[in-house]
Amino acid sequence: MAESKKEIYDSIPQQSYPKTELIHEKIPFDKVIVLLEESKIKYPFIAKPDIGLRGSAVKKIHAISELEEYHTKANFDYLIQNLIPYANEVGIFYVRFPSQQKGKITGIVAKEFLEVTGDGISKIVDLLQMNPRYEMQLKTLQKEYGTQLNQVLKKNQKRNLVPYGNHARGAKFIDVSHLITEKLTRSIDEMCQQIPEFYFGRLDVMYNTWEDLENGQNFAIVELNGAGSEPTHIYDPKHSLFFAWYELARHITYMYQISVQNHHKGVRYLTFKEGVEQYRLQMQQQKKIYHF
């Protein structure tokens, strides 16, 4: 809880994630412009809270006016980040016990973005209403796109309305754990071992081709999530609630066992008081983002 994304990015090998800058909520906007210019981050780019909440307040910024509006509204620290140039995204859950030399992949989820395909007749809003999953995002999309949703797309023309692989923002999650191979495990393990004391969590990764990803080439980490991670392959609609319970229990057990091993190495447990304080900070942050 209450994890800073910037602190996590700083622990990852720089070549593995896009250029990212932290913007403090109270700094004057002219200083934001200076930071943007110095970082060489180019429009369009992504803005998102430093302490996140399931994709909330993540926005693609196309121009300085949009950045100024975001900065004015944001009552939280946030990140600006270069767009990743790859089209595909997966979430890879990684586990390594401190007593072991090598880690393993325990699940992979692929992500279908909220994308509509034109028929030459229907408006975008009509296409959204044809899909129950997309229709649930309609109010949010109307707020973001306004009258653009009245546009009629040409036949077979595609439009990605939410370019983030987030379940809460309308993406469909598909369990592709059958794609786990020794080659992929070796590439992911090699990278994860460069992250200090990282034993448990999910890497959200964008990549060019699956072959490239297996070879550890042409990919970038969108985010790395730690102890608060979910094995998101459970959200594949084909899975049952019982499957989800089993996978959650399996991963919570891994986390418990890793914690015990680390404790024996001298890593102290969080006290109850510290846990309550972290929970309070997280709830405080959630309220800010909900009202964004």
Side-chain angles (χ1 to χ4, degrees):
M1 294 182 288
E3 292 177 323
S4 164
K5 294 183 189 296
K6 185 61 167 65
E7 287 182 13
I8 294 174
Y9 283 125
D10 288 345
S11 71
I12 302 172
Q14 287 189 1
Q15 70 274 15
S16 299
Y17 67 95
K19 178 67 178 176
T20 303
E21 288 292 334
L22 174 65
I23 307 295
H24 293 288
E25 62 170 292
K26 295 181 179 178
I27 69 168
F29 186 66
D30 57 349
K31 290 190 176 181
V32 177
I33 298 303
V34 172
L35 279 170
L36 179 64
E37 291 173 350
E38 289 177 348
S39 71
K40 295 184 170 54
I41 293 174
K42 304 295 184 184
Y43 294 103
F45 57 80
I46 295 295
K48 58 185 178 183
D50 183 43
I51 299 175
L53 176 66
R54 299 179 181 275
S56 297
V58 177
K59 187 172 176 60
K60 191 175 182 179
I61 304 295
H62 299 85
I64 191 170
S65 58
E66 293 183 9
L67 178 59
E68 185 171 16
E69 181 184 3
Y70 191 98
H71 184 71
T72 301
K73 288 174 64 179
N75 59 342
F76 47 79
D77 294 347
Y78 64 93
L79 305 178
I80 55 174
Q81 186 176 71
N82 266 334
L83 283 180
I84 296 173
Y86 308 124
N88 307 298
E89 183 174 344
V90 288
I92 299 175
F93 212 106
Y94 173 84
V95 171
R96 179 167 71 89
F97 290 94
S99 59
Q100 295 178 335
Q101 293 298 313
K102 295 182 179 180
K104 62 182 179 180
I105 297 172
T106 60
I108 305 179
V109 63
K111 303 176 182 184
E112 288 184 2
F113 297 109
L114 198 163
E115 181 180 82
V116 293
T117 304
D119 58 10
I121 302 170
S122 306
K123 299 176 182 178
I124 292 176
V125 65
D126 299 325
L127 296 172
L128 289 167
Q129 290 173 328
M130 293 176 190
N131 185 315
R133 178 182 295 274
Y134 296 173
E135 190 175 24
M136 293 178 70
Q137 301 294 323
L138 194 53
K139 286 185 179 179
T140 302
L141 293 171
Q142 286 172 331
K143 184 178 177 181
E144 182 170 353
Y145 288 100
T147 57
Q148 293 180 52
L149 297 185
N150 292 324
Q151 180 185 353
V152 175
L153 298 179
K154 296 177 182 178
K155 189 175 179 62
N156 296 324
Q157 180 184 352
K158 296 183 183 297
R159 180 77 181 274
N160 185 347
L161 295 168
V162 183
Y164 330 116
N166 191 280
H167 198 252
R169 297 288 296 272
K172 182 180 179 180
F173 283 12
I174 302 166
D175 186 354
V176 292
S177 300
H178 63 279
L179 296 177
I180 298 172
T181 61
E182 280 191 32
K183 193 173 187 180
L184 178 65
T185 300
R186 190 162 52 247
S187 293
I188 296 300
D189 185 48
E190 183 178 320
M191 179 185 60
C192 288
Q193 296 223 27
Q194 296 177 59
I195 304 170
E197 298 183 326
F198 177 56
Y199 299 108
F200 176 96
R202 192 189 69 249
L203 302 93
D204 294 328
V205 177
M206 298 192 77
Y207 64 97
N208 182 33
T209 67
W210 194 256
E211 183 180 8
D212 282 348
L213 183 59
E214 282 195 311
N215 289 324
Q217 301 170 342
N218 299 319
F219 75 92
I221 296 174
V222 181
E223 285 187 3
L224 185 151
N225 302 278
S229 302
E230 291 178 303
T232 45
H233 57 278
I234 67 175
Y235 292 117
D236 188 321
K238 74 182 179 186
H239 287 317
S240 69
L241 181 60
F242 295 103
F243 175 88
W245 283 343
Y246 174 83
E247 285 296 276
L248 287 170
R250 180 166 74 102
H251 285 80
I252 289 169
T253 302
Y254 288 144
M255 182 165 55
Y256 165 74
Q257 293 168 338
I258 290 168
S259 298
V260 170
Q261 287 193 17
N262 275 331
H263 185 65
H264 289 158
K265 289 171 58 180
V267 180
R268 70 179 183 84
Y269 294 132
L270 201 67
T271 66
F272 180 78
K273 183 178 179 180
E274 289 169 332
V276 169
E277 175 62 13
Q278 289 297 302
Y279 181 78
R280 186 190 67 79
L281 291 172
Q282 183 69 35
M283 292 302 101
Q284 188 180 71
Q285 180 72 4
Q286 286 186 16
K287 287 179 182 178
K288 290 181 180 180
I289 297 174
Y290 275 137
H291 293 97
F292 181 76

